[in-house]
Amino acid sequence: MPSSDAPSLLFDGADWDFDKVRRVHDSIEEIATTEMGLSTYPNQIEVITAEQMLDAYSSIGMPLMYKHWSFGKHFAADESMYRKGMRGLAYEIVINSSPCISYIMEENTMAMQTLVIAHAAFGHNHFFKNNGLFRQWTDAKGILDYMDFAKGYIMRAEERHGHAAVERVLDGAHALMNNGVHKYPRKKVPDLAADLQRERERQAYFEQTYNDLWRTLPKSPEGVHESRELADRKARLGLPEENLLYFLEKTAPKLAPWQREILRIVRHIAQYFYPQRQTKVMNEGCATMCHYHICHRLHQKGMISDGALLEILHSHTNVVFQPAFDDPRYSGLNPYALGFAMMEDIKRIALTPTAEDRDWFPDIAGCNDPWGALRAAWADYRDESFILQYLSPSVMRKMRLFRLHDEEQAKEIKVAAIHNERGYRDVRQTLARSYDIGRMAPDIQIVDVDLEGDRRLVVQHRVADGILLDEAEAVRTLRQLANLWGYEVRLIEVSAETDVVFKQHEDVGPSE
Amino acid sequence: MNIIDRRLNPSGKSLANRQRFLRRARAQIMKSVREASGGRSITDIAGGERVSIPMDGLREPSFHRSAKGGTRDHVLPGNREYVEGDTIPKPERGDDGDGGPDGSPDGGGEDDFHFILSRDEFLDIFLEDLELPDLVKRNIAKSQSFIPARAGWSVTGSPSNLNLVRTMRNSLSRRIALKRPKSDEMKELEAKIRGLEESGDDPELLSELRLLFDQMLTKSRRVPYIDPVDVRYNRFEQLPKPVTQAVMFCLMDVSGSMTEHMKDLAKRFFMLLYLFLNRRYKHVDIVFIRHTHEAKEVDEDTFFYSTETGGTVVSTALTEMKRIIRARYSPTDWNIYAAQASDGDNTSSDNATSAALLEHDLLPLAQYFAYIEVGAEYKDWLGRETDLWRTYKVVAKPGGNLAMRKVRVRSQIFPVFRELFSREGVNAIL
């Protein structure tokens, strides 16, 4: 073990072996826990080949996944790109599980392995374990067992009911995967005692706030009666329901139990990945922040050589590169770049704040505990709220962010705000919103079912900002929905603000 | 912390997914493969293939918002000269990258899906629903070697075939049924007795326990841990082993009338047959026999590339084939295939001999005999039948193992080949 007064290099040269990986891991762990206060799941580092990395890619990164043709399709596409040299492979894949599994590639040099371990096995790992969304929605201890169950279940279903039947259900479920998550924790079913208690409180409240004036209000007109029937039906079916998969699993009339179980499996997997979709910037920012700091500390302590640090920095710079909007390489904001810039800035604010920072961030400015401030941010925020809370004027200036406003009818695009005193809050708010999946994904709900008539399912898209669904894709997805529902499905697009109907699609029935 | 080396794990984890994908896209891939194979040389065919297929049935749809219309706000990095209130004219076709993910109209190829088929997959699809005619029956009837195959268990056998799991399972159930005392219980009792002996507390209990122990000991002696009745052995049955080797005879007329073009056609056909046989048999031998007015067994290069002059006597080649079969390829051990390519010329006096040779000597020995008549590309030969064609037509019977086809241009090779070997009742898609 290297002692602090007689530092020695952990490794020398590019080749890696298991011993070096272990030594590096242990040294990183010391920095991570004592200096940065990270708390992680136990680590499991797995060395894989390029082909296995491609394998992992195609099955959304899970080590165990059921079989489906779409994964084969992705593999074929990835492989073809990789073989032609059009795309490199990621250096690592990390899985939100306990123990936290990180895959590292055998082709990496030892310096790269150091970077990857700091990045994935500590950065991502800490984020998975501590972020509120992950804690609420995912079960890191159980996921691998669940995936094992899912894989086995679907395999047995295939043996029993045939590939085609299972494929049909999975196709439908995959099409609705994005609409298969609970966005809010479910209401607890109240027990009798709690119900009574609530009723008593309500009575007491009525008595306290009794006002005879209410009696004089005119009665609501007749004709409410019919809509009461509708309201009744909706209440019984739990409508409106935005989790389409959940609704189908519970109420689709034609599904067999095994088909419901498959919907449930896909829904669980979608739910498991839902936090990841909401925390791209934070997750990558946290991991990048960790590897950057840890690798510098290793170098300061004399545990890695100048050459290794330079190699690490070279990769780091590539990762956080953010081309400007008019650069041909531009393809949106780089979550690594944004996350890293914001977190570096939080560290700066905590240590050497300016007057502006004290104004904007009175809580953390000059608190001298950068890691504490960061840990708090990592634990309690998601991308949208994190940007809304922490995107500082200095980062906006550095990245020269500006907001464009584009209206369909207008002939020109307007520059609505730039990085100046008047624009900071505007830019920050708009950027935060663009990371809110609740706003960016279409709001689709099941609003009615005619259970006694032709059993047509009515789905509503509540249109925000006048942006309709992509027509061709919507029709294809409706077909999948109809396949699962078993009867016709109708999609209506209405304005979220005024309930005006924009567009009614033709009814789609199940395919034969 | 654990470090696990996964590199040695079995590869091809996604193979099952790939098979599902290929099955799903089968119709499209098949079409694309068939189209591609028309224009390519045979050696290329064996080398795997990059195919692109239309996306029908391969889409993974989802609800998402359209890329066009509505009111949108974008936050972009790298502002240089804009100030609040500036306006930017909208690009005409949403093409000049303003950050929005506008679908750029890249032409018709946008919807195609490209990927690489391996050689085996390509051949599988290419040769799908082709079958070797009337094969199984003859094989099994003539096979002489055997392979052992697992077939249940037996109570006798050699120690190397002992089935431990079965044996121990029987032993356990017998021990439970006959209430053999467990060794744990005996040890416990022994310890108790020893404790009592040392302390000398309760002599009555001690003698009781001793008695009990003695009983257990005799019982455990009487009921053995493993009894001969428990023992099971893996049983093997001798299954007849099908013949998995084939020999393929390539017969070709190399007299002056055969042009390069005709030889090329013939070569293509031979190679297809070779690929096909290779997939059905573990081991395939090829014998090249070329003939003019006399026949010779030659190597591949000579067969295709060296020229020879002379007349045309087909029966010499058939005689040579018969001789080689007799000398080296006993029909009991080998599946015999023959493909003959010729432009149809033959010395008229030889026709009867050839027909007799074929009918009485060769066809009974061979699994299949294909005769390909190659013609010049532009020669109109409608209505005129060649000498050899007329000769063979007499021998060919419906359902027999002689097949005859005419090929004039390269693109006919694949259809003709598929036609010859298409599985009964399956109409090949051409």
Side-chain angles (χ1 to χ4, degrees):
Chain A
M1 276 283 104
S3 62
S4 49
D5 31 308
S8 62
L9 288 182
L10 288 169
F11 60 87
D12 206 10
D15 294 339
W16 64 269
D17 59 39
F18 291 99
D19 224 32
K20 290 180 190 166
V21 169
R22 183 174 294 280
R23 278 207 306 272
V24 162
H25 174 275
D26 293 343
S27 321
I28 291 178
E29 189 170 33
E30 200 189 317
I31 296 175
T33 46
T34 56
E35 296 180 18
M36 300 164 70
L38 300 189
S39 129
T40 56
Y41 294 124
N43 272 310
Q44 178 161 323
I45 292 171
E46 305 196 355
V47 184
I48 60 175
T49 61
E51 195 210 326
Q52 287 168 324
M53 186 59 109
L54 275 170
D55 264 348
Y57 264 28
S58 59
S59 51
I60 47 178
M62 298 304 288
L64 292 160
M65 194 66 195
Y66 53 81
K67 307 285 180 215
H68 188 248
W69 63 267
S70 63
F71 306 137
K73 173 185 154 187
H74 291 237
F75 184 85
D78 288 339
E79 188 190 27
S80 150
M81 299 275 272
Y82 176 62
R83 290 273 145 83
K84 281 194 294 177
M86 278 162 69
R87 184 191 290 165
L89 292 175
Y91 298 121
E92 43 78 28
I93 283 185
V94 56
I95 292 160
N96 168 23
S97 63
S98 175
C100 177
I101 301 176
S102 327
Y103 292 119
I104 60 179
M105 283 227 283
E106 63 167 347
E107 281 93 339
N108 295 352
T109 62
M110 190 56 221
M112 282 308 299
Q113 307 291 34
T114 309
L115 170 70
V116 163
I117 291 169
H119 181 90
F122 289 91
H124 283 306
N125 190 347
H126 172 83
F127 195 78
F128 288 146
K129 189 180 171 192
N130 294 282
N131 183 265
L133 275 178
F134 284 91
R135 291 162 69 101
Q136 182 178 2
W137 290 113
T138 66
D139 171 19
K141 280 209 176 62
I143 183 67
L144 293 181
D145 287 339
Y146 187 74
M147 292 309 298
D148 189 36
F149 155 77
K151 188 180 173 195
Y153 190 90
I154 287 176
M155 199 165 72
R156 282 192 299 278
E158 276 177 341
E159 280 163 10
R160 204 158 188 185
H161 308 282
H163 286 288
V166 173
E167 194 170 288
R168 192 176 153 104
V169 180
L170 277 178
D171 286 353
H174 283 188
L176 302 175
M177 205 162 175
N178 287 341
N179 307 92
V181 288
H182 286 301
K183 293 184 183 141
Y184 312 100
R186 228 171 318 160
K187 209 169 74 175
K188 259 192 232 141
V189 182
D191 56 12
L192 198 60
D195 241 12
L196 274 176
Q197 171 72 18
R198 211 165 56 155
E199 191 54 38
R200 261 200 299 278
E201 278 168 12
R202 193 179 288 155
Q203 280 295 336
Y205 180 74
F206 268 136
E207 282 163 19
Q208 271 171 23
T209 57
Y210 176 76
N211 190 333
D212 198 41
L213 263 181
W214 292 114
R215 193 175 44 77
T216 64
L217 282 182
K219 287 249 159 47
S220 51
E222 293 301 312
V224 188
H225 200 66
E226 201 178 288
S227 73
R228 149 128 348 132
E229 196 182 316
L230 179 72
D232 228 38
R233 188 163 69 217
K234 282 189 170 183
R236 243 182 304 130
L237 290 168
L239 294 177
E241 173 62 65
E242 62 174 353
N243 190 336
L244 306 191
L245 283 181
Y246 177 77
F247 180 83
L248 290 170
E249 177 198 325
K250 298 298 176 203
T251 45
K254 279 189 168 173
L255 293 184
W258 65 270
Q259 291 171 315
R260 290 181 207 277
E261 187 63 43
I262 289 180
L263 292 192
R264 196 178 158 77
I265 286 170
V266 175
R267 187 166 67 80
H268 279 317
I269 294 171
Q271 191 77 59
Y272 170 80
F273 281 110
Y274 189 58
Q276 308 213 354
R277 284 166 59 204
Q278 295 185 71
T279 51
K280 256 192 199 126
V281 170
M282 289 199 72
N283 207 339
E284 294 304 351
C286 168
T288 308
M289 190 71 195
C290 288
H291 80 229
Y292 187 73
H293 179 79
I294 288 171
C295 292
H296 271 292
R297 284 293 298 145
L298 285 175
H299 182 247
Q300 277 166 18
K301 287 167 123 183
M303 295 162 110
I304 59 174
S305 65
D306 295 348
L309 184 72
L310 281 177
E311 189 185 343
I312 288 169
L313 285 181
H314 177 73
S315 293
H316 170 82
T317 319
N318 284 341
V319 162
V320 298
F321 173 62
Q322 174 65 65
F325 75 102
D326 50 359
D327 193 301
R329 290 165 295 181
Y330 178 77
S331 60
L333 274 173
N334 176 355
Y336 292 84
L338 182 63
F340 179 66
M342 286 178 66
M343 288 169 192
E344 270 290 293
D345 206 52
I346 290 177
K347 190 172 148 200
R348 181 191 60 79
I349 291 169
L351 294 175
T352 52
T354 61
E356 182 187 50
D357 296 326
R358 290 194 190 279
D359 243 18
W360 281 65
F361 304 101
D363 296 349
I364 56 169
C367 70
N368 268 325
D369 179 15
W371 298 111
L374 279 169
R375 282 199 309 270
W378 290 335
D380 296 334
Y381 291 84
R382 58 178 186 152
D383 283 352
E384 181 253 332
S385 53
F386 176 66
I387 290 170
L388 199 57
Q389 177 70 28
Y390 286 107
L391 184 64
S392 68
S394 93
V395 170
M396 281 184 263
R397 283 196 298 270
K398 221 179 283 166
M399 296 183 78
R400 311 185 77 82
L401 298 178
F402 67 112
R403 171 163 87 92
L404 290 181
H405 183 72
D406 177 8
E407 269 173 39
E408 197 179 359
Q409 266 76 36
K411 288 206 176 55
E412 289 162 325
I413 298 170
K414 218 175 104 196
V415 178
I418 64 162
H419 54 276
N420 58 15
E421 207 57 52
R422 274 155 55 88
Y424 288 142
R425 284 177 203 278
D426 186 329
V427 168
R428 177 158 91 165
Q429 192 175 27
T430 315
L431 187 63
R433 276 196 186 161
S434 72
Y435 281 97
D436 182 2
I437 354 184
R439 283 184 71 87
M440 297 317 282
D443 176 8
I444 295 195
Q445 304 182 359
I446 291 172
V447 289
D448 194 16
V449 192
D450 182 7
L451 273 181
E452 276 147 20
D454 55 11
R455 297 192 168 171
R456 185 189 292 119
L457 191 69
V458 183
V459 182
Q460 205 176 53
H461 171 219
R462 301 189 68 79
V463 179
D465 301 327
I467 304 175
L468 296 177
L469 288 178
D470 183 313
E471 164 112 33
E473 282 278 283
V475 171
R476 286 185 204 113
T477 318
L478 279 183
R479 173 87 58 209
Q480 298 293 350
L481 176 58
N483 280 348
L484 293 176
W485 176 245
Y487 298 93
E488 286 199 335
V489 176
R490 170 178 294 172
L491 173 64
I492 306 172
E493 304 201 46
V494 303
S495 159
E497 290 92 25
T498 56
D499 275 345
V500 174
V501 174
F502 281 140
K503 185 168 172 185
Q504 176 166 343
H505 295 256
E506 270 180 51
D507 292 1
V508 177
S511 59
E512 277 322 311
Chain B
M1 200 247 333
N2 283 324
I3 305 179
I4 299 176
D5 191 355
R6 293 266 183 225
R7 288 171 296 176
L8 297 177
N9 278 20
S11 65
K13 205 169 134 192
S14 62
L15 201 62
N17 289 329
R18 187 171 176 90
Q19 284 163 348
R20 282 165 173 74
F21 164 66
L22 292 180
R23 193 168 55 217
R24 173 110 177 175
R26 205 165 141 261
Q28 291 103 306
I29 295 175
M30 193 123 71
K31 192 158 161 260
S32 147
V33 164
R34 299 276 156 76
E35 273 167 10
S37 54
R40 297 156 76 240
S41 76
I42 290 172
T43 32
D44 287 352
I45 282 210
E49 159 82 334
R50 186 176 151 75
V51 292
S52 64
I53 52 174
M55 280 296 275
D56 311 339
L58 290 179
R59 288 177 207 278
E60 300 164 79
S62 67
F63 287 122
H64 55 77
R65 305 213 285 182
S66 159
K68 293 194 191 68
T71 310
R72 288 155 202 270
D73 285 294
H74 305 284
V75 172
L76 304 174
N79 177 19
R80 265 190 291 274
E81 73 261 27
Y82 297 133
V83 293
E84 191 185 330
D86 278 1
T87 54
I88 308 163
K90 281 192 190 177
E92 276 305 303
R93 285 182 299 116
D95 208 32
D96 268 7
D98 244 52
D102 313 66
S104 56
D106 254 3
E110 184 86 0
D111 263 2
D112 281 2
F113 181 71
H114 309 271
F115 66 102
I116 295 166
L117 276 180
S118 73
R119 174 182 189 273
D120 281 350
E121 287 164 344
F122 187 90
L123 286 176
D124 261 345
I125 290 169
F126 182 72
L127 300 174
E128 201 185 57
D129 48 68
L130 299 186
E131 197 50 83
L132 289 173
D134 195 19
L135 190 81
V136 186
K137 238 180 344 193
R138 297 180 62 161
N139 271 342
I140 291 194
K142 287 174 186 163
S143 60
Q144 282 172 335
S145 56
F146 295 92
I147 37 168
R150 279 293 307 276
W153 298 275
S154 77
V155 290
T156 55
S158 84
S160 63
N161 288 340
L162 183 71
N163 188 319
L164 264 182
V165 176
R166 281 270 148 181
T167 305
M168 289 315 289
R169 195 186 291 168
N170 288 344
S171 144
L172 180 65
S173 53
R174 185 181 45 79
R175 275 179 279 137
I176 291 172
L178 298 180
K179 298 207 172 60
R180 182 184 202 264
K182 288 178 187 145
S183 57
D184 289 355
E185 284 170 12
M186 304 223 348
K187 260 184 211 141
E188 206 176 296
L189 195 61
E190 214 177 346
K192 222 184 235 171
I193 291 170
R194 196 169 303 126
L196 283 177
E197 275 172 350
E198 273 165 20
S199 64
D201 272 350
D202 195 343
E204 214 164 286
L205 182 66
L206 181 65
S207 61
E208 214 172 273
L209 288 182
R210 272 187 182 147
L211 198 64
L212 189 66
F213 186 74
D214 281 348
Q215 278 172 354
M216 283 168 94
L217 209 61
T218 37
K219 180 121 195 184
S220 75
R221 273 195 206 113
R222 221 178 299 132
V223 182
Y225 193 79
I226 290 183
D227 193 274
V229 301
D230 300 335
V231 180
R232 291 292 178 278
Y233 298 91
N234 293 333
R235 202 173 83 88
F236 292 91
E237 221 161 48
Q238 298 298 319
L239 284 185
K241 182 174 143 198
V243 179
T244 54
Q245 51 190 2
V247 58
M248 169 181 154
F249 286 91
C250 299
L251 311 171
M252 187 163 68
D253 177 4
V254 290
S255 62
S257 58
M258 286 284 282
T259 61
E260 274 308 308
H261 168 73
M262 292 172 174
K263 281 189 188 172
D264 180 58
L265 290 181
K267 179 180 182 183
R268 277 159 193 279
F269 187 82
F270 292 146
M271 288 195 69
L272 265 185
L273 186 60
Y274 176 69
L275 280 177
F276 186 42
L277 292 178
N278 237 337
R279 294 183 68 72
R280 289 292 184 282
Y281 295 102
K282 272 201 190 121
H283 179 79
V284 180
D285 268 13
I286 307 187
V287 178
F288 295 100
I289 302 173
R290 62 173 195 168
H291 73 91
T292 52
H293 60 281
E294 55 183 18
K296 227 189 291 169
E297 185 188 354
V298 293
D299 61 29
E300 187 178 344
D301 270 356
T302 327
F303 185 74
F304 286 115
Y305 300 114
S306 90
T307 50
E308 190 126 330
T309 49
T312 312
V313 183
V314 172
S315 64
T316 53
L318 299 178
T319 317
E320 176 73 1
M321 177 175 161
K322 187 175 142 193
R323 186 189 65 76
I324 294 175
I325 291 178
R326 195 161 295 159
R328 309 207 304 255
Y329 299 104
S330 146
T332 37
D333 295 336
W334 293 83
N335 291 293
I336 298 169
Y337 294 85
Q340 183 181 12
S342 160
D343 59 353
D345 286 347
N346 195 16
T347 314
S348 9
S349 61
D350 181 56
N351 286 343
T353 332
S354 302
L357 258 177
L358 192 63
E359 185 166 13
H360 300 299
D361 292 333
L362 293 181
L363 288 184
L365 298 182
Q367 309 288 117
Y368 202 62
F369 193 106
Y371 170 61
I372 296 298
E373 191 160 296
V374 288
E377 200 161 349
Y378 303 108
K379 193 162 114 189
D380 187 349
W381 50 337
L382 277 174
R384 193 178 70 90
E385 281 183 348
T386 59
D387 281 340
L388 208 53
W389 186 268
R390 263 178 285 140
T391 312
Y392 279 8
K393 216 163 85 176
V394 181
V395 181
K397 295 182 205 80
N401 56 352
L402 171 64
M404 316 165 51
R405 289 290 184 280
K406 292 179 186 172
V407 177
R408 221 149 35 105
V409 286
R410 219 182 248 187
S411 59
Q412 286 176 332
I413 292 276
F414 295 97
V416 160
F417 184 81
R418 294 190 58 79
E419 207 181 313
L420 283 178
F421 291 100
S422 56
R423 204 173 280 156
E424 231 169 290
V426 177
N427 285 327
I429 308 157
L430 297 175

